[in-house]
Amino acid sequence: MRIKVPVVPASFFGMVIGLAGLGTVWRWAHQVWGLPAVVGEAIIWLSIAVWVGLTILYIAKWSVACDDASAEVADPVQCCFVGLIGVATMLVAGGIQPYSPALAVILFTAGAAFAFGFAVWRTGGLWRGEREHAATTAVLYLPSVAGSFVTAITAAALGYADWGQVIFGGGLFSWLAIESVPLGRMLTGPELAAALRPTLGIQLAPAPVGAVAYLSVTQGPPDVFAHALIGYGVLQLLILLRLLPWIGPGGFTPSYWAFTFGITALATAPLKLLARGDSGAIADLAGILFGAANLAVAAVMIGTVLLAMRGKLFAKTVTFRLLAHGSPAG
């Protein structure tokens, strides 16, 4: 029997991150505003289902399309998305924690080990130099910045806020060190290739995800640092909105999930501050950003479903033959 197996890019794990992020937004909206809890839990479980499916397909990719998997790891841009596997796994751990704390710890440990190991390996490779200027994009944030911030967030949620504070430092200073590199390339280098422009959505993420991480590993009343991180995130969002006509002239692609990590974190951070008694500007922003996050993720979800219905979600499939007794023949 022959079956077609989709060759899943590591970047598809951004779908898990966007869905898990939106589910977290709704969990906080339930706590702060009393919105229905069932909405957030349903989105969380959808993210878990997507994570299970993508994990199975990605593991299968190393068996049925090993050359594609190896090429992805070696690619100067696509390689950084591999770090999302660990990030997505940790977010799933946070989502499942209320239902099974023990399983959450196992998933968190696996995800954190993967994210940390990949960040060290990939960053060590980047430090060697010889990187083409045209390959410098916001994906550089993914291995060390995204991995560290999400590790800090999930560690705190599981009761390890002290470790979260240590790991938060790794994400914060990695972000500050890397920030000028993609910005400098965009300001002084040639125009980004059309296929790479949606990766600019990642530029939105560091400040708001950092804000969520900071609020996760600290206690006490709202402070100016959390406000400042949200403010920088709002500025990035406005710049990206101004650039949307330039980013997407070729129509929708799954790459637009890159925007969902930042926009859901940007909606979560104000809600966490409201839970601490914040008001004023943050209260005004909270509702706007909550609506923006829901609209953004819904739009990207609809676009993804439409691609899947037209058979265009996966750029490549591999025909896989099973022998009569059930063992794979390739």
Side-chain angles (χ1 to χ4, degrees):
M1 182 176 67
R2 294 180 181 274
I3 59 174
K4 287 187 176 181
V5 179
V7 178
V8 174
S11 61
F12 274 33
F13 281 90
M15 299 178 187
V16 180
I17 293 169
L19 291 170
L22 186 62
T24 301
V25 171
W26 272 88
R27 278 184 173 176
W28 281 100
H30 167 68
Q31 179 176 330
V32 174
W33 292 327
L35 296 187
V38 66
V39 177
E41 299 313 302
I43 298 171
I44 289 289
W45 281 104
L46 176 60
S47 75
I48 294 170
V50 173
W51 173 79
V52 170
L54 290 177
T55 300
I56 292 171
L57 289 174
Y58 187 79
I59 293 171
K61 176 179 175 179
W62 282 95
S63 175
V64 302
C66 187
D67 289 345
D68 293 280
S70 299
E72 181 177 53
V73 173
D75 187 273
V77 175
Q78 298 302 319
C79 66
C80 291
F81 286 107
V82 176
L84 293 182
I85 298 171
V87 172
T89 302
M90 287 187 284
L91 290 175
V92 166
I96 210 168
Q97 193 271 339
Y99 302 96
S100 177
L103 178 57
V105 170
I106 293 171
L107 290 173
F108 166 70
T109 303
F114 185 96
F116 182 77
F118 181 79
V120 171
W121 175 79
R122 186 62 214 147
T123 304
L126 292 171
W127 282 10
R128 296 178 184 177
E130 299 297 329
R131 182 182 179 85
E132 292 185 11
H133 202 45
T136 297
T137 73
V139 299
L140 292 177
Y141 295 122
L142 296 179
S144 57
V145 182
S148 295
F149 280 159
V150 174
T151 302
I153 292 167
T154 313
L158 297 179
Y160 305 105
D162 52 343
W163 278 104
Q165 291 177 0
V166 174
I167 298 164
F168 170 75
L172 176 64
F173 291 106
S174 293
W175 168 37
L176 296 179
I178 293 171
E179 176 88 352
S180 62
V181 178
L183 289 180
R185 180 259 183 273
M186 287 186 282
L187 289 170
T188 63
E191 187 176 68
L192 273 176
L196 292 178
R197 291 175 194 173
T199 63
L200 278 175
I202 301 169
Q203 186 67 34
L204 172 60
V209 177
V212 174
Y214 173 71
L215 293 169
S216 297
V217 301
T218 59
Q219 297 179 350
D223 59 45
V224 66
F225 184 58
H227 289 179
L229 289 171
I230 293 170
Y232 188 64
V234 170
L235 175 62
Q236 300 297 294
L237 176 61
L238 293 174
I239 294 171
L240 288 168
L241 288 174
R242 178 256 189 269
L243 287 174
L244 272 181
W246 174 76
I247 291 172
F252 178 82
T253 71
S255 299
Y256 279 86
W257 282 97
F259 287 82
T260 62
F261 192 13
I263 191 64
T264 55
L266 193 56
T268 300
L271 290 170
K272 290 175 76 74
L273 284 168
L274 292 182
R276 294 190 183 191
D278 211 341
S279 59
I282 291 298
D284 294 336
L285 283 171
I288 297 171
L289 294 173
F290 176 77
N294 279 275
L295 287 174
V297 177
V300 177
M301 284 181 62
I302 291 169
T304 303
V305 171
L306 290 176
L307 283 180
M309 291 174 63
R310 296 199 299 264
K312 295 182 178 180
L313 180 58
F314 300 101
K316 182 178 180 181
T317 59
V318 175
T319 300
F320 193 56
R321 182 165 60 89
L322 296 176
L323 297 179
H325 52 71
S327 59

